[in-house]
Structure formats: structure tokens, C-alpha cells
Amino acid sequence: MTTPSSSGAPRGGPPLTEDGAEDLLRCICFKTGPPRTVGAELEWLVHDLRDPRLSVSPGRLAAAIDALRAVPLTAALTFEPGGQLELSSLPAASLMECLDSLAADLVAVRSALAPFGLGLGGYGVDPWRTPRARVLREPRYDAMERVFDRVGPAGRTMMRESASVQVCLDAGVDAPGPLDYRRRWRLAHLLGAVLVAVFANSAVHGGRRTGWRSTRQSLWTDLDPARALAPAADGDPRGEWAAHVLDTPVMCVRSAAGPWAVPEGLTFREWLRTGRPRAADAEDLRYHMTTLFPPVRPRGHLELRMIDAQPGPDGWMIPVAVATALFDDPVAAESAERAVAPLAALAGRDPAPRNPLWRTAARDGLGHPALHAAALDLFGSALDALPRIGATAGVVGAVASFHDRYVARGACPADESLEMAS
């Protein structure tokens, strides 16, 4: 969720027109070309190594954060409002470069946390403690909390107690074929639901079963009427996304001094047309896009945001490898489209993640027959494709083991959490 400009004050550029905003959105959100780079953003819950049920004091967490900031890392290190740690990789030239770089950084992070008796937990939501206090006091998060509180408690929980694996892949080419950016955009909104189901890992929250395999995804579904929704996935991606961005309410209007304004119901389009409370510029538009949280966010590349944080020190590698293989290998991408095509009927016309397909994936995981059948096909295609995109035998073996442990049985990591909680 964190971005480099997440708390920056406005720069005061020239006023932006509505036509200028639409042109800018069409240019920057889908940058086309052959898929060449891979990235990932890993969020982790920080917990006590001896007993993860214990709360971590703000002072102890602050001391650990100070120590971490001195550790040389390749990835960008940031923190979420509840103290969750996030590593955001640089764009890598290959899957293995991405995995190896993040793995090395995680070794360094864990080594730096260990003297403080702290570790990293790979869960979609905190299974032990709720509520977590908000440890980041920044204008962005003050505004975000006010906006989410208008709807209900889901926003606060998401901000403070959730963690994910986000996979970043190039948008695709502007040409016919399986790597066409339009096809990749449509694929992402069906395949994304299968990724929710396969990697669901948040069935227990605050020591209690929630009734969802992915409680984290259920939170994203409920936190805001528009901010977490996808636009229509069957039209022109550039046009649909531009309209969605402009017609979504503004979370905040930044100011150089004093608290940021938090308007209610003011869309960015209305802000442009009225010029109130002040004229909006291109930086305001770019910032506004960072306050939209659809399951697939186009940022020049495609940011897949629907995957729960995974168990084990290296479990995060599995969804990164599977998603990269299914999107970037042309043969696997063709197979993936065929595998998820039957899911369109279950999805219906409502946008993700509020349609029946996504809700079923979050609630039932691979317990739904159609999702299980798609997952079996998708993992078969991914396992075939991984050697073609340069995955090592170790990564291929890890994906195969995940398939045997979960997918083949119609299970997901959340099912093991349910067994432990019973």
C-alpha cells in the first residue's frame, strides 16, 4: 500500500484539465511492450519470536525499525500503519533475479530483527491479536482512516492487521496474441479469483475462525463502496480505467501545512471541473491513483494485489513464480485463458472483488468445484512453463510440492490454520 509519495505535500504544478487528466491516464497506466520485468511486494506481520500472541510494544518495534533502516537492502523497505513490514523489489529482468534478490534481503531483515526477539509472520491477517494499534501517524493514514471509518471497521483492520504478496508484471503488448495487454487485463480478473482461492491464508483472525478462507480479501471487498473495486474488465482497459479513476471519490486533498482535507463524495472529475477546494494538478492525479486499491491496479505495469501473505520463510515464492509463469509464458497464458473461461459465468457482470466468483473464492477457497478444476489446470500449465522462463529446479520443486500438498487435494493454506484452530 505504501508508495514513495505517500505522505508528500503538493508541489503546486499547473492546473489540470479534464481532457488532460484522461490523456495522462491513458499514457501512464498501461505501458505496452514485450513482458520483460518482474517485481514483487512482500508484506509481513512482525511478531514476538517466543510467543506470537504477545503484543509488541511501540518502543520495541521502533528500536527494531531503526536498526532495520541501517541494513543495506536491494528492495525498498517501508512499514504499514500497524507496523507490518514491506519489501518492494526493484523491477527484475527475470523471475529468478526477483526471487533471489528478495530472498537475500529477507535473510538480512530476519537477522536484524532477531536480536530484538522479533520475527516475520506470513499470514493474510493477524491470527493472534486484534486490534493492533496504528503506529504510523502520517497525514495519509489519518485521512485514510477517516474515509474508511465512514463505511465500517474493515478499513482499520485492513490497514493495521493484514499482509499480502503482490506480484508486478508488465502490462503486455499492443498486438494480437496471448501477451496482448487487453487479454492480460481480462485474464487477471478471472485468474485473480483463483489466486485468491489457491493462496487463501487468513481463516483465523484474533484467535477466532472468521468463516472465510481469505479474511483479508473479505476486508478489501467491504472497506469502501468504490475505492477497492475494479472497473469493467471487458471493455477498453485504458478508457475503462481512466473513467474509473476520475469517477472515484477523492480520499484527501493534500496541503503543505495543517491537516489534509478529507472531502466526502468529491470525485476527481468534479474536483477538476469545480477547482475546489483548490485547483488540481498532475501530481494530485498521480497521488489519487495511489489511494485506489482494486485487485488489479495498472501502474504502467499490472499490480496483482489479491494474494494473502504465505506461510513459511519462502512460501511467498510460490505465488510469484506461478503468476509470472501463467502471464509471461505465451503457451501458459493461452492455457490459462482456457482454464479460467468457465469462471466467467460465475463472475457475472458485477465488478471484482464484489462479484460471486471473487466472494466464493475468498469464502470457500478451492472447496468450490469450478475453482478447484481451474487451479489444477493452471498449476499444470505453470509447472510446464517455469523451466521455459528460467526457474531453477528448486523453485519448480517448491511449486510442485505446493500443488501436491494443497491444490491436488482441493485445499489451501487456510485449511491448515483451521485444523490448528479446531
Side-chain angles (χ1 to χ4, degrees), residues 199-223:
F199 297 110
N201 187 35
S202 50
V204 178
H205 182 216
R208 297 182 178 181
R209 297 182 176 201
T210 65
W212 297 84
R213 295 299 197 279
S214 178
T215 302
R216 175 185 166 276
Q217 185 58 54
S218 76
L219 294 171
W220 282 109
T221 302
D222 293 339
L223 65 84

Side-chain angles (χ1 to χ4, degrees), residues 326 332 335-336 338-340 342 370-384 403 407:
L326 293 174
S335 298
R338 292 193 295 271
V340 301
L371 286 163
H372 186 207
L376 289 170
D377 287 346
L378 291 167
F379 263 71
S381 297
L383 284 166
D384 288 342
H403 169 272
V407 180

Side-chain angles (χ1 to χ4, degrees), residues 298-376:
R299 302 181 64 185
H301 57 274
L302 299 183
E303 185 181 76
L304 308 182
R305 303 174 45 83
M306 70 290 295
I307 302 167
D308 282 358
Q310 293 298 288
D314 299 322
W316 60 272
M317 292 186 178
I318 310 301
V320 177
V322 169
T324 304
L326 293 174
F327 276 89
D328 286 1
D329 179 82
V331 175
E334 292 269 21
S335 298
E337 285 185 298
R338 292 193 295 271
V340 301
L343 300 178
L346 179 57
R349 299 293 300 174
D350 291 334
R354 292 219 175 114
N355 63 45
L357 172 64
W358 282 72
R359 288 185 181 276
T360 299
R363 185 183 62 247
D364 299 337
L366 294 186
H368 190 279
L371 286 163
H372 186 207
L376 289 170

